Amino acid sequence: MKDIAIVGGGPAGSICGERLASHGFNVTIFDERLAWEKPCGGGLTHKAIQAYPFLLNSGQPKRVVHTAELIAGNGRRARFDMSHPIVIYARKVLNGLLLDRAIVAGCSTICSRVTSVDTDGPRVRLTARGEVCQSDFVVVAAGARNRLLPETTALTADDLELTLGYFVPTEEDIIKVKFLKEFEGYLWSFPRADHLSVGICAKMGQSPTQQLRRHLDDFVLEENIPMDGAQFYSHVLPSPQAQTIRGRRIAGRNWAMAGDAAACVDPITGEGLYYALRSGDLLAQALIEGQLQSYPERLRAAFSADLEFAASIARRIFRGNFLGGAITTRMVQLLNWSPTFRDLIRDVFSGSQDYRTLKHRLFSQFGTTVLETMRTFFAPAGTLRSAFSKRSGPAL
Ligand SMILES: Cc1cc2nc3c(=O)[nH]c(=O)nc-3n(C[C@H](O)[C@H](O)[C@H](O)COP(=O)(O)OP(=O)(O)OC[C@H]3O[C@@H](n4cnc5c(N)ncnc54)[C@H](O)[C@@H]3O)c2cc1C
């Protein structure tokens, strides 16, 4: 196997290409737009920075954000410093950086849409620009919505989220995330080098688009975001169910998928950049070692078992109740009341706390959290008020 075609020059395809080309493979990356402003928050958590330090060290414009604010459905807020910063890129910049690295490693790029992939014969046949190109192997890293490979199932509405948002030319220093009552999704504002990505995501088919747009516009008003020059966007994002993560076919004799195409996205937070990079990287490693069959197992060991667990609790996190209030509202309150709980959320946010050990950590520190909550609760009035963020007021 020598010639590899990669469909999609996003994070998954670019890093896979970079790794393969540096090990002597002839790699061609096909992308219909190459580096473009894909609708995205653009936030990279600590695990991405740890695995790919060039994302922090690059000279490209980006914003390194240390502070986040969570807003509950009832308007209460909690602001906290994350244990590690989140690095936020405009996607055109990030994709350009990753594609440049792939090209330096030896990849060729073709700016064209691939309209068909045929994996039946001895060689893979791709159609792009009306011409048929052949390769020994094809990596499909073409995002959430592609039906290029009949050998696997496409992601259905149950595995997808709808996102709407705006790129707003203004500056901010903090990340904001707002939850809504009885709503599987959230609103966000992510500051980039010279603009914000503001948006809403929700399970596909659960809320009409008009309603999402209303929530988004309300959020923009509440947060006083100046909308002059704002550009609207909409896109889909995988939000895989546990059985999809566990059972969907992501590799065959002469093909494999990575990134969103393989549904490598956190079903709670929608984080996909790290998983796109890591899956592209792991696929390349499997191919370099001639161990393609081990690719799904490598993904499972690296992160997909954790994402499967996340999928099994996602609905409860967004819609569940705890002590008579929404879990997301309790989370905001506990952030203000308990330093121990705040530490936990700081780690969750910066991406250094996985889901499978989260439950154990929550239980093991439950007593301390209750004690700290009681202490704040029974503190003198002035102290209690100062425990809340300026705009929240007493939240009892
Ligand atoms: C609104 C929104 C906000 C998000 N915010 C964040 C965030 O803050 N942090 C985070 O970690 N993740 C976020 N994500 C998820 C993240 O954007 C994706 O997980 C990530 O881009 C996946 O990378 P990828 O390489 O798999 O696919 P993509 O980035 O989608 O790249 C696929 C590429 O394939 C190309 N392509 C598609 N079809 C074809 C074809 N037939 N022929 C040729 N080329 C083709 C496209 O042009 C594209 O460049 C967000 C997603 C959305 C929608």
Side-chain angles (χ1 to χ4, degrees):
M1 191 189 299
K2 194 72 186 147
D3 299 329
I4 312 270
I6 298 182
V7 187
S14 297
I15 203 138
C16 186
E18 181 200 330
R19 297 290 196 255
L20 289 169
S22 12
H23 280 80
F25 289 80
N26 295 329
V27 183
T28 307
I29 299 176
F30 296 81
D31 195 299
E32 56 187 332
R33 287 187 262 203
L34 292 172
W36 65 291
E37 195 51 67
K38 189 209 154 182
C40 186
L44 291 154
T45 56
H46 182 58
K47 51 184 182 279
I49 302 302
Q50 248 185 336
Y52 308 104
F54 68 85
L55 294 169
L56 180 64
N57 303 331
S58 83
Q60 305 294 333
K62 57 187 160 302
R63 194 169 284 263
V64 180
V65 183
H66 295 266
T67 309
E69 185 170 73
L70 293 191
I71 309 165
N74 63 5
R76 304 290 174 212
R77 290 163 189 265
R79 194 173 280 202
F80 57 97
D81 287 334
M82 291 172 287
S83 35
H84 303 279
I86 288 187
V87 178
I88 309 182
Y89 277 90
R91 281 299 301 271
K92 190 170 180 175
V93 175
L94 178 64
N95 285 22
L97 168 68
L98 293 166
L99 274 168
D100 283 350
R101 290 173 60 93
I103 292 166
V104 169
C107 293
S108 311
T109 55
I110 295 182
C111 186
S112 169
R113 181 171 181 77
V114 171
T115 50
S116 73
V117 174
D118 177 358
T119 51
D120 282 345
R123 299 201 86 206
V124 179
R125 292 162 61 86
L126 288 91
T127 311
R129 294 188 294 202
E131 286 170 28
V132 175
C133 317
Q134 299 201 16
S135 66
D136 298 314
F137 192 90
V138 62
V139 173
V140 174
R145 274 264 162 105
N146 80 81
R147 291 171 190 267
L148 288 169
L149 289 164
E151 291 180 61
T152 187
T153 46
L155 294 173
T156 62
D158 290 340
D159 290 309
L160 293 170
E161 279 186 359
L162 180 63
T163 64
L164 310 177
Y166 295 105
F167 295 125
V168 187
T170 186
E171 296 199 23
E172 251 293 7
D173 279 323
I174 67 166
I175 286 173
K176 290 182 182 173
V177 170
K178 179 173 181 182
F179 302 106
L180 297 169
K181 286 178 192 159
E182 297 285 311
F183 183 86
E184 243 171 286
Y186 61 89
L187 291 136
W188 75 84
S189 162
F190 270 35
R192 293 165 164 191
D194 60 0
H195 66 278
L196 300 183
S197 173
V198 184
I200 184 166
C201 57
K203 258 319 212 192
M204 196 166 265
Q206 289 194 1
S207 311
T209 312
Q210 300 291 345
Q211 195 185 69
L212 296 183
R213 188 80 187 249
R214 259 198 316 277
H215 286 314
L216 177 63
D217 291 338
D218 289 348
F219 179 62
V220 160
L221 273 177
E222 284 158 18
E223 300 309 312
N224 293 319
I225 298 172
M227 293 299 282
D228 286 348
Q231 281 176 15
F232 180 74
Y233 63 72
S234 173
H235 208 78
V236 291
L237 169 69
S239 176
Q241 304 172 95
Q243 67 260 33
T244 305
I245 299 172
R246 197 171 44 244
R248 185 165 169 258
R249 206 168 163 217
I250 55 164
R253 176 178 61 91
N254 51 5
W255 63 271
M257 300 192 296
D260 277 13
C264 297
V265 177
D266 182 324
I268 296 177
T269 62
E271 176 180 7
L273 291 171
Y274 167 71
Y275 301 108
L277 291 163
R278 195 83 181 100
S279 59
D281 199 352
L282 289 170
L283 173 56
Q285 279 174 30
L287 287 169
I288 291 161
E289 291 165 25
Q291 302 279 335
L292 174 66
Q293 72 286 357
S294 69
Y295 170 54
E297 213 29 66
R298 289 177 195 222
L299 279 196
R300 191 151 191 85
F303 60 77
S304 62
D306 201 47
L307 296 187
E308 187 182 325
F309 180 72
S312 71
I313 59 169
R315 193 180 156 78
R316 257 176 293 161
I317 301 240
F318 288 116
R319 288 185 179 268
N321 283 305
F322 179 64
L323 297 175
I327 286 183
T328 48
T329 304
R330 293 284 175 252
M331 187 164 82
V332 172
Q333 288 172 318
L334 287 176
L335 258 164
N336 280 323
W337 292 341
S338 161
T340 305
F341 185 78
R342 196 176 310 134
D343 282 347
L344 180 144
I345 294 294
R346 291 168 64 202
D347 290 348
V348 169
F349 250 72
S350 52
S352 52
Q353 168 64 57
D354 66 25
Y355 290 110
R356 281 176 304 171
T357 55
L358 179 64
K359 189 170 161 188
H360 178 257
R361 185 167 167 192
L362 269 167
F363 277 124
S364 66
Q365 61 184 46
F366 185 72
T368 319
T369 304
V370 171
L371 210 68
E372 287 170 350
T373 301
M374 303 284 277
R375 218 176 275 148
T376 316
F377 211 75
F378 292 111
T383 331
L384 177 58
R385 188 154 288 134
S386 69
F388 301 110
S389 61
K390 279 184 206 130
R391 294 169 63 184
S392 64
L396 309 178

